[in-house]
Structure formats: C-alpha cells, structure tokens
C-alpha cells in the first residue's frame, strides 16, 4: 500500500481537504461569536481565546471553565495551561470532529455566561490568590527574561 504512489497522493489530498474544512469551520465559528484565536499554520488544532468568559484571567478559572464545558455542555477542549498559553486559551482539535459538531459545540459555549461560570468557579477556586505551578514557572521565565533585557540594554 505504501508503495502505491497514486493511493498515497489521493490519501494525502483527501486528508488535507478534510483538515482544511475542519479548521475553516472552527475559524468561522470563532468569528461568528467574536472569539479571538490563533490562526493555525500547521497541526490539528486552533487556540481559541475564551478568556472573556473568565471572572479573572487565572488558571484556576480556566480549569473551572474546562470542567463546566465538559459537565454542562458536553464540549471538550484542552485548557491552555498545559500548553503554557495564557489563561483562557483552549486547544480545539478539529481533526476528527464529525460534520456539524463544531457548530453545535460553539452554540453550547455561546450560552455560557460569565455569571453562571463565576458561581460554578467559586467552588473550585477557593484560594485564587495562590499561584499555580504553571503561573510560578511562567513568572520565573518572564522575570529572568526581563532581567536579561535590562542587562543587554545597559
């Protein structure tokens, strides 16, 4: 099968067409709901900015949104914390979504209000002043980078 160049070429074109259609559907839904996103240059996912749904731009509130979307909306997106993205960014994989699934997911997300989520998050974000491991790590990286910039400019 792998030696069948015609099959490989057709398979590759078919896969590219499916991935392009999936990415386009995600971007159209983001536009429809005015969610910012990072345009993919390759890969199988789009980073979607859902931070406007968060009471505070903290990872504990992002985790609350992740759990809320999963439990209440039956929508699964990976929180950005695992990718070191800013709080509120989610990875949405479009590679295997059945036709129409992205539209349904975004319709459900559109019904999430900041107020509903704040009540839900209250139980998960008991001490939201404490930094998470990711926040501590990023803070150390950026602090070190700022120090290096100051030294370079001196």
């Amino acid at each position: 099968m792998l030696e069948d160049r015609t099959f490989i070429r057709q398979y590759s074109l078919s896969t590219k067409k499916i991935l392009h259609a999936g990415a386009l559907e995600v971007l159209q839904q983001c536009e429809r709901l005015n969610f910012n996103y990072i345009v993919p240059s390759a890969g199988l996912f789009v980073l979607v900015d859902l931070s406007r749904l968060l009471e505070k731009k903290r990872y504990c509130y992002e985790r609350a949104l992740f759990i809320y979307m999963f439990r209440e909306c039956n929508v699964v997106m990976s929180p950005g914390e695992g990718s070191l993205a800013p709080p509120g960014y989610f990875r949405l994989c479009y590679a295997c979504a059945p036709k129409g699934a992205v539209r349904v997911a975004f319709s459900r997300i559109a019904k999430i209000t900041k107020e509903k989520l704040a009540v839900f998050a209250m139980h998960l974000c008991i001490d939201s002043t404490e930094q998470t491991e990711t926040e501590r790590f990023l803070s150390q990286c950026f602090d070190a980078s700022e120090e290096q910039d100051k030294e370079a400019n001196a």
Side-chain angles (χ1 to χ4, degrees):
M1 183 184 299
L2 292 177
E3 293 179 13
D4 185 345
R5 297 290 180 212
T6 303
F7 170 79
I8 296 296
R9 192 175 319 106
Q10 289 173 345
Y11 179 78
S12 178
L13 290 172
S14 172
T15 301
K16 286 178 185 177
K17 185 177 177 181
I18 291 167
L19 292 175
H20 181 265
L24 186 60
E25 187 175 13
V26 170
L27 301 181
Q28 288 171 341
Q29 292 302 316
C30 287
E31 293 288 334
R32 183 176 71 84
L33 296 174
N34 289 321
F35 285 123
N36 293 326
Y37 54 88
I38 297 175
V39 179
S41 58
L44 307 172
F45 62 89
V46 174
L47 272 177
V48 180
D49 181 4
L50 302 180
S51 64
R52 74 171 192 229
L53 298 174
L54 305 180
E55 184 177 342
K56 296 178 185 174
K57 292 186 181 183
R58 300 287 312 279
Y59 289 118
C60 69
Y61 289 94
E62 176 183 83
R63 284 190 296 275
L65 177 56
F66 167 74
I67 293 167
Y68 186 87
M69 286 192 303
F70 179 73
R71 287 184 186 168
E72 304 299 323
C73 305
N74 291 320
V75 172
V76 178
M77 287 192 222
S78 301
E81 182 177 14
S83 305
L84 299 180
Y89 277 82
F90 284 78
R91 281 177 43 158
L92 193 156
C93 179
Y94 55 80
C96 62
K99 188 172 178 82
V102 171
R103 183 184 43 76
V104 171
F106 273 95
S107 295
R108 293 174 182 173
I109 291 168
K111 295 176 185 173
I112 299 173
T113 64
K114 207 172 195 174
E115 293 74 25
K116 277 186 195 175
L117 188 60
V119 170
F120 185 82
M122 205 166 44
H123 303 291
L124 297 172
C125 300
I126 306 297
D127 184 6
S128 63
T129 58
E130 185 177 321
Q131 284 188 321
T132 65
E133 288 294 319
T134 304
E135 288 167 328
R136 279 193 289 279
F137 172 75
L138 290 174
S139 177
Q140 289 171 352
C141 290
F142 288 117
D143 290 346
S145 177
E146 287 173 7
E147 287 298 319
Q148 290 172 350
D149 289 345
K150 286 178 187 176
E151 288 172 9
N153 293 329

